[in-house]
Amino acid sequence: MNNQVKEINYISSKLLVTPIVSMISISTLFLFISSIFRHEKFDSGAWDLGIFDQAVYLISQAQPPISSFLNFHILADHAAWILYPLALLYKIYPSVYWLFTVQSIALAVGALPIWYLARQAGLKNSQRVVMVVVYLLYPLVYNANLFDFHPDTIAVPALLWAVLAARLGKIGWFCFSVIVVLGCKAVFSLTIAAMGVWLLCFEKKRLCGAIAIFAGIAWFAIANKFIIPVFGGEAALLERHFYRYSYLGNSFPEMVKILLMQPGIILEKIFSLTNLGYLLLLVVPVIWGLAPQGLTPLISAIPCLLLNILADHPSQKDLIRHYSLPVLPFLMLTVIANLAAGRVWLQQKKIIILWSLVGFLALAKIPFISSKQMWYADTLQATKEAIALVQAQGSVLTTYNIAPHLAHRPLIKLTDTSASPVDFNVFDYVLLNLRHHFSTQEFANGLANQLKNNQKFQLKYQRDEVYLFEKNKQK
């Protein structure tokens, strides 16, 4: 009899998971198609799709992954060693589509641990399904997927699996999940350490909590004191890590000094309308499921929230980009806890789903209905034809939106009005779109005129104000 009961429970569990797998599959496909649509319409950018695509490609070719966009080794960017295993996919076939595939799967698969965590919390099957819908319709999931590619997206399901593993006492899986998170971005070490505090003090998972605290602190020190400086030097720290907090100084010691000696600066930055709007954006899609008694999971999100609130850059204060992704898993855990305890504002499942759907439609940047996606349409065919004429390993100077389509080479640079005068001699090709560019029209026209008068280059292609210049081959 006991065996029969176990078998029935096993079959029932499998049947209940099947709709979730279908939802994840549909979501993955939708996320993937959206990314491809945006990229093929030339709305992706060199920062950051071109950066990561070039780095992963160079790793797959056993070449030093020195980003010609950043001018330093990719490990100096965020110590994201996860790019190295991703390069194995490029060995099968080098294509940026792999990055879109991994990102879409990672974000959609986050729904699976959500389902298991909801079951563990004692939610009914219908409530678990609702939580999966709430997660998949949370606007940040879609928007972060659409905003080029970032290893941050891989950390979302890894954080959720880490919490599930900790609650189940699966130390091995917990450690593996933590390692994956740390490999996505150096600053996630702070999130891991904060998660350790939460697990230790509130979840009573002492071993997992201690492991997370130690791993987070250790990796933060290793990444910031060794990996990033060694592979990128002072330039990497200043250009990619401190410029968003320039009002606090240009180094960790300076920042700590200002934080301690001039707290008024910090308070003024924290208590601003911009930050209030940012926090509202974060909570509105799930505000029905937030209650003061069940907010302890958000302790893990404090480092990410503080970094975004203190940043002197608006890009870290919205749901369009990836910067708030470490908050998402713990926001979902908070909603699950409140739903299990009956502390939610909305009780009816259909109303909750409707709320999530309205939030998604209001805050998700869906490219299929965006007029911005048509801005490149008048030069789309000409740009594709010009790209097809660029040889595989030739060095290229081009514009921000074209660069991600030509990143599979050691040297590719962007036209930039703020940079020093361009040395055309280091490039084999210069591809310009005079209608659509990230510079002044005067600057774009000036580049084209210089190349027309440069005897070392010939005009290889011209159509719809798209110009491809090729360096003359020396005899």
Side-chain angles (χ1 to χ4, degrees):
M1 179 65 73
N2 289 334
N3 290 334
Q4 290 179 341
V5 171
K6 289 181 180 179
E7 184 176 352
I8 291 172
N9 290 335
Y10 175 79
I11 295 173
S12 299
S13 177
K14 289 293 183 182
L15 290 174
L16 293 176
V17 172
T18 299
I20 307 306
V21 173
S22 299
M23 292 168 67
I24 291 172
S25 301
I26 294 170
S27 179
T28 300
L29 185 61
F30 182 58
L31 293 173
F32 179 74
I33 290 173
S34 298
S35 296
I36 297 302
F37 181 85
R38 179 177 183 264
H39 179 64
E40 292 301 327
K41 294 299 181 182
F42 290 91
D43 196 31
S44 56
W47 295 60
D48 291 331
L49 182 59
I51 291 173
F52 289 118
D53 186 34
Q54 182 190 33
V56 175
Y57 170 77
L58 292 175
I59 293 169
S60 73
Q61 301 299 306
Q63 298 183 47
I66 298 174
S67 169
S68 58
F69 298 109
L70 300 174
N71 296 320
F72 49 73
H73 196 286
I74 195 62
L75 282 179
D77 186 26
H78 292 292
W81 57 260
I82 198 77
L83 299 176
Y84 281 82
L86 287 180
L88 296 174
L89 298 172
Y90 276 54
K91 284 187 172 293
I92 300 172
Y93 183 78
S95 172
V96 72
Y97 281 25
W98 282 119
L99 299 185
F100 294 140
T101 301
V102 169
Q103 182 161 264
S104 301
I105 292 174
L107 286 170
V109 162
L112 191 56
I114 288 287
W115 190 88
Y116 282 111
L117 286 162
R119 185 178 71 171
Q120 188 184 62
L123 297 185
K124 299 177 182 177
N125 182 60
S126 58
Q127 292 175 312
R128 298 175 220 160
V129 173
V130 166
M131 280 308 308
V132 168
V133 173
V134 169
Y135 168 80
L136 292 175
L137 287 180
Y138 190 81
L140 181 60
V141 171
Y142 184 81
N143 292 341
N145 172 79
L146 202 64
F147 185 55
D148 290 350
F149 167 83
H150 297 90
D152 309 47
T153 55
I154 301 172
V156 173
L159 284 167
L160 289 165
W161 285 117
V163 174
L164 181 62
R167 287 178 171 176
L168 294 175
K170 305 291 184 180
I171 306 301
W173 282 112
F174 176 79
C175 291
F176 176 77
S177 299
V178 166
I179 290 171
V180 170
V181 174
L182 295 176
C184 293
K185 204 171 190 177
V187 75
F188 288 170
S189 57
L190 300 177
T191 298
I192 290 296
M195 183 181 73
V197 172
W198 170 62
L199 290 173
L200 181 66
C201 299
F202 295 92
E203 292 287 301
K204 306 305 178 185
K205 303 296 180 181
R206 292 179 174 81
L207 180 56
C208 288
I211 290 172
I213 292 171
F214 174 79
I217 294 173
W219 183 246
F220 183 85
I222 293 169
N224 289 286
K225 292 296 184 180
F226 177 72
I227 295 177
I228 293 174
V230 167
F231 284 96
E234 195 69 20
L237 287 170
L238 294 178
E239 293 176 18
R240 292 288 279 169
H241 300 272
F242 290 128
Y243 82 97
R244 296 173 183 269
Y245 308 90
S246 57
Y247 70 98
L248 291 176
N250 293 321
S251 66
F252 285 120
E254 284 185 43
M255 289 182 176
V256 172
K257 183 178 179 180
I258 292 177
L259 286 171
L260 294 176
M261 303 299 293
Q262 303 179 50
I265 296 176
I266 307 303
L267 293 175
E268 182 181 352
K269 179 63 65 175
I270 291 175
F271 296 104
S272 67
L273 290 177
T274 302
N275 283 331
L276 177 60
Y278 165 59
L279 294 175
L280 284 174
L281 284 174
L282 276 176
V283 303
V284 162
V286 292
I287 196 169
W288 55 269
L290 302 180
Q293 304 95 316
L295 296 180
T296 56
L298 290 177
I299 290 171
S300 308
I302 288 175
C304 177
L305 288 172
L306 279 177
L307 286 171
N308 291 340
I309 287 172
L310 291 174
D312 196 19
H313 203 280
S315 64
Q316 287 185 234
K317 304 174 191 292
D318 57 39
L319 297 188
I320 298 175
R321 298 165 181 86
H322 58 288
Y323 297 108
S324 298
L325 282 174
V327 177
L328 178 59
F330 306 105
L331 199 57
M332 293 295 118
L333 286 169
T334 299
V335 175
I336 289 172
N338 285 323
L339 190 59
R343 294 189 295 256
V344 296
W345 300 2
L346 300 179
Q347 297 288 342
Q348 296 184 18
K349 294 179 283 292
K350 291 182 180 179
I351 302 298
I352 293 173
I353 293 174
L354 179 62
W355 183 283
S356 297
L357 182 60
V358 171
F360 177 82
L361 294 175
L363 299 173
K365 305 300 179 182
I366 306 174
F368 309 107
I369 59 176
S370 172
S371 59
K372 184 178 183 294
Q373 295 299 322
M374 303 309 295
W375 79 289
Y376 228 109
D378 56 342
T379 59
L380 186 65
Q381 188 60 37
T383 306
K384 289 184 176 182
E385 291 173 359
I387 288 173
L389 297 174
V390 177
Q391 294 183 4
Q393 291 300 308
S395 54
V396 177
L397 175 69
T398 189
T399 60
Y400 182 86
N401 291 92
I402 296 176
H405 297 261
L406 290 168
H408 290 182
R409 62 200 70 245
L411 178 59
I412 178 171
K413 290 281 190 180
L414 304 178
T415 57
D416 187 356
T417 55
S418 62
S420 56
V422 179
D423 180 8
F424 295 118
N425 295 323
V426 301
F427 300 104
D428 298 311
Y429 299 92
V430 180
L431 177 52
L432 305 173
N433 187 326
L434 301 189
R435 290 187 191 174
H436 308 293
H437 49 80
F438 277 71
S439 58
T440 65
Q441 191 64 55
E442 181 182 3
F443 176 79
N445 291 338
L447 284 180
N449 290 332
Q450 289 180 56
L451 288 159
K452 288 176 183 178
N453 296 322
N454 192 324
Q455 295 183 352
K456 294 183 179 181
F457 282 83
Q458 62 175 330
L459 183 60
K460 188 176 180 67
Y461 179 89
Q462 176 184 356
R463 178 186 168 187
D464 297 334
E465 296 186 81
V466 173
Y467 292 83
L468 175 64
F469 296 91
E470 183 180 17
K471 182 184 289 185
N472 293 321
K473 294 180 174 61
Q474 295 182 354
K475 297 180 180 179

